[in-house]
Amino acid sequence: MVGETLGKLRARIESLARDDGDFCVLCGRTGVRPVPVTDARFEDRATAEQAAEAATTYRAVLRRWDPRAPCYDFIACEVPEGLGVGPGRRATATGRRNASLTGFCHDVAAAVFEALSAEGFADAESAIMDAYCESADAIDDPDDLCLHLLTTLAAEFDSQLTSAEQARVLRTAAGEFPGPNTGGTPLTQTFERLQTVTIIGDYAVESSPEWVVGQQSWTVTIDDYALPTAPDAMPTLPIVIDLLRRLPRARLALSDVRQLDGGSWRFEVSASENGPSTGLAWVQATG
């Protein structure tokens, strides 16, 4: 891996921020406060300038993986009166959710692209990015664009690499994928995180009644899945990369995907010591 990751840069900015700070970081040309400084405040100008430098690096790293990401000229300044209204700099709860969603999508994409490069799949990396750039022009909303990036990444990743190659790349990506560690099982931690960043709404996890040596299985139901899905398939990559971060030695398999009435999805997840790794990026529905 070369340079700092998006997650580490964002964590540095968050460590500098204070809820009651009098200074902020924004684009000097447009006044916009994009990710990763959407609603961050800082106690003094010097601290805000450090955050502006980190934000500039963040956006430069982001453009390596998403050439459509806009450029900003970050400056440190006192918080303008009435700040919090307008695209890209909302200080409302919705703005924070959008920032979390965007940051999560960026982290997934950057981790996978870096892993593709590190594992020697430069052609697949280029093919995925070409497919995204070709189809992204029609999308203007930043949240929709990030979700489209993840969906395109999952579909092309699945078509370009074998199951064994996917497992290898995602294991490498998961090692560099940032995220919190909270209480509960690895599976519930993953779905709580996806819920926090609004990738999913509600979820339910049921352990399989059948016990197999060296394998654990669960039935998972999720509502309000934010990623665009086909009528007969769903992208699973953001679920898998976060779960692999928590279960780095497990062989994961996602299968038996079904779309339920109301748009919910139900599928099986298994983690084993020596089983096959399948359904890591995109899974066809069974009916």
Side-chain angles (χ1 to χ4, degrees), residues 172-229:
T172 298
E176 295 295 326
F177 184 57
N181 289 314
T182 56
T185 67
L187 201 67
T188 57
Q189 287 182 53
T190 286
F191 286 104
E192 285 175 5
R193 183 183 186 188
L194 295 174
Q195 189 177 49
T196 297
V197 299
T198 68
I199 290 287
I200 64 171
D202 291 332
Y203 72 92
V205 176
E206 302 174 24
S207 296
S208 172
E210 298 182 3
W211 185 78
V212 178
V213 175
Q215 177 176 308
Q216 290 181 281
S217 298
W218 303 266
T219 299
V220 178
T221 304
I222 58 174
D223 298 330
D224 300 322
Y225 194 33
L227 270 68
T229 57

Side-chain angles (χ1 to χ4, degrees), residues 9-267:
L9 288 163
R10 193 165 56 249
R12 185 197 304 173
I13 293 169
E14 291 171 356
S15 71
L16 296 171
R18 299 290 183 272
D19 290 341
D20 58 351
D22 294 326
F23 289 81
C24 67
V25 175
L26 50 76
C27 175
R29 292 182 293 103
T30 64
V32 166
R33 301 173 72 197
V35 172
V37 291
T38 305
D39 57 358
R41 292 177 178 237
F42 307 94
E43 62 182 358
D44 53 42
R45 187 179 297 277
T47 305
E49 287 173 348
Q50 293 179 50
E53 292 177 3
T56 298
T57 303
Y58 180 101
R59 301 300 297 194
V61 172
L62 176 60
R63 283 192 296 277
R64 290 171 57 194
W65 318 123
D66 183 1
R68 284 179 50 93
C71 297
Y72 298 102
D73 296 328
F74 288 114
I75 61 170
C77 67
E78 291 188 76
V79 175
E81 185 176 351
L83 184 68
V85 179
R89 51 194 176 102
R90 290 166 288 193
T92 63
T94 300
R96 286 192 291 273
R97 285 197 299 272
N98 289 345
S100 297
L101 172 65
T102 303
F104 178 84
C105 293
H106 288 170
D107 286 342
V108 172
V112 173
F113 281 129
E114 286 203 10
L116 283 167
S117 179
E119 293 293 337
F121 294 104
D123 290 345
E125 179 184 358
S126 297
I128 293 168
M129 186 52 64
D130 288 346
Y132 166 67
C133 292
E134 184 178 346
S135 58
D137 287 339
I139 302 173
D140 294 323
D141 182 81
D143 289 345
D144 290 343
L145 194 60
C146 285
L147 294 170
H148 177 68
L149 173 60
L150 280 198
T151 304
T152 304
L153 174 58
E156 293 297 319
F157 186 84
D158 185 60
S159 67
Q160 295 282 335
L161 278 67
T162 67
S163 294
E165 291 170 341
Q166 291 175 35
R168 194 172 100 210
V169 170
L170 289 181
R171 203 171 301 282
T172 298
E176 295 295 326
F177 184 57
N181 289 314
T182 56
T185 67
L187 201 67
T188 57
Q189 287 182 53
T190 286
F191 286 104
E192 285 175 5
R193 183 183 186 188
L194 295 174
Q195 189 177 49
T196 297
V197 299
T198 68
I199 290 287
I200 64 171
D202 291 332
Y203 72 92
V205 176
E206 302 174 24
S207 296
S208 172
E210 298 182 3
W211 185 78
V212 178
V213 175
Q215 177 176 308
Q216 290 181 281
S217 298
W218 303 266
T219 299
V220 178
T221 304
I222 58 174
D223 298 330
D224 300 322
Y225 194 33
L227 270 68
T229 57
D232 60 348
M234 67 172 286
T236 56
L237 189 146
I239 300 170
V240 168
I241 190 173
D242 189 81
L243 191 53
L244 276 176
R245 190 178 71 84
R246 305 174 196 279
L247 296 170
R249 290 180 293 277
R251 302 283 186 91
L252 297 181
L254 278 70
S255 61
D256 197 21
V257 172
R258 301 173 185 271
Q259 187 167 28
L260 309 178
D261 293 341
S264 299
W265 290 88
R266 179 173 295 163
F267 51 95

